[in-house]
Amino acid sequence: MAFHRGNRSPVEVSVAFLPVAMDDVRVTSIELFFDLVFVFTITQLTSLLVAEPDGAGVAKVVLIFGTTPSPRRCC
């Protein structure tokens, strides 16, 4: 990535940062469901950690999060 400092020209962007057309990529309902479950799990674990901001709360969060199946592992 190169920046032109002197003449206010546009920033040159590497090809790796350009958006990719994803017209043919589809997301299934089961993927969306597991994403929703994951977000719900994170919110519940956050509220547990807020209620118990000590070592025991952290241990509970790590234990619960470690046993929660992730979308990538289960399917």
Side-chain angles (χ1 to χ4, degrees), residues 16-57:
F17 294 112
L18 293 176
V20 178
M22 300 182 76
D23 295 333
D24 58 346
V25 177
R26 292 277 206 198
V27 177
T28 63
S29 296
I30 194 74
E31 288 176 309
L32 292 175
F33 173 73
F34 279 116
D35 287 343
L36 184 62
V37 168
F38 184 75
V39 168
F40 179 73
T41 302
I42 294 297
T43 58
Q44 294 301 306
L45 291 176
T46 302
S47 64
L48 176 67
L49 192 57
V50 166
E52 295 184 49
D54 55 355

